[in-house]
Amino acid sequence: MDINDTWIWLCKSRDLLERGAAIAFDVAYAGRWMRAFAIRFEGQACAYLNECTHVPMEMDWQPNQFWDHQKRWLLCATHGAAYQPNTGQCVMGPCKRGLKKIDLKDDGENVFWRTQYNLNPAEF
Ligand code: FES
């Protein structure tokens, strides 16, 4: 088995609430450990590296809180960049491109994330 293609349990599906608090986890990326987060938007479980594309900083304004007041966009607390929740694409503010997406699998009972064969900085 390829270690880079392993699904790892993250949480119960019911614990990833629609537009609720994110669930944080750690991923190995570019030779270092980084924080990542999973959210649910319009029923879809999504996960991203917790690193803004404006300045490489973690984005949550409180631990595991990324939503704007209307719970429409994912926000960076530092300068207000806004990202599309289901794609991670920058929609407004000083962000330069999309968040780095992490593969998730939600079978209705459990959510898993996949170690990233594609977590390669050359993709940016
Ligand atoms: S660091 Fe995120 S908007 Fe500036």
Side-chain angles (χ1 to χ4, degrees):
M1 179 189 335
D2 182 350
I3 186 98
N4 292 323
D5 196 22
T6 302
W7 290 98
I8 298 172
W9 185 85
L10 176 62
C11 64
K12 299 296 262 182
S13 297
R14 66 176 179 261
D15 294 334
L16 194 57
L17 301 177
E18 178 72 27
R19 303 181 201 219
I23 293 181
F25 57 106
D26 295 318
V27 299
Y29 175 72
R32 62 188 170 122
W33 286 100
M34 295 183 63
R35 299 295 285 163
F37 66 98
I39 51 100
R40 188 178 300 281
F41 178 71
E42 296 181 345
Q44 180 185 355
C46 304
Y48 304 97
L49 285 184
N50 185 359
E51 184 176 76
C52 187
T53 62
H54 176 221
V55 176
M57 301 176 64
E58 293 191 2
M59 303 191 318
D60 31 345
W61 50 273
Q62 291 284 320
N64 304 324
Q65 301 297 324
F66 295 87
W67 296 101
D68 70 331
H69 291 298
Q70 285 80 35
K71 300 197 174 207
R72 175 65 187 87
W73 310 114
L74 299 174
L75 291 184
C76 175
T78 304
H79 307 111
Y83 297 92
Q84 178 71 32
N86 57 347
T87 66
Q89 288 304 302
C90 174
V91 291
M92 62 187 120
C95 40
K96 300 171 185 158
R97 55 190 173 269
L99 298 173
K100 185 61 185 166
K101 196 162 190 167
I102 296 171
D103 289 344
L104 281 190
K105 177 171 66 177
D106 181 357
D107 66 8
E109 293 287 327
N110 296 288
V111 178
F112 303 86
W113 65 279
R114 184 162 57 177
T115 54
Q116 297 302 104
Y117 56 84
N118 60 349
L119 280 181
N120 180 348
E123 291 182 357
F124 286 97

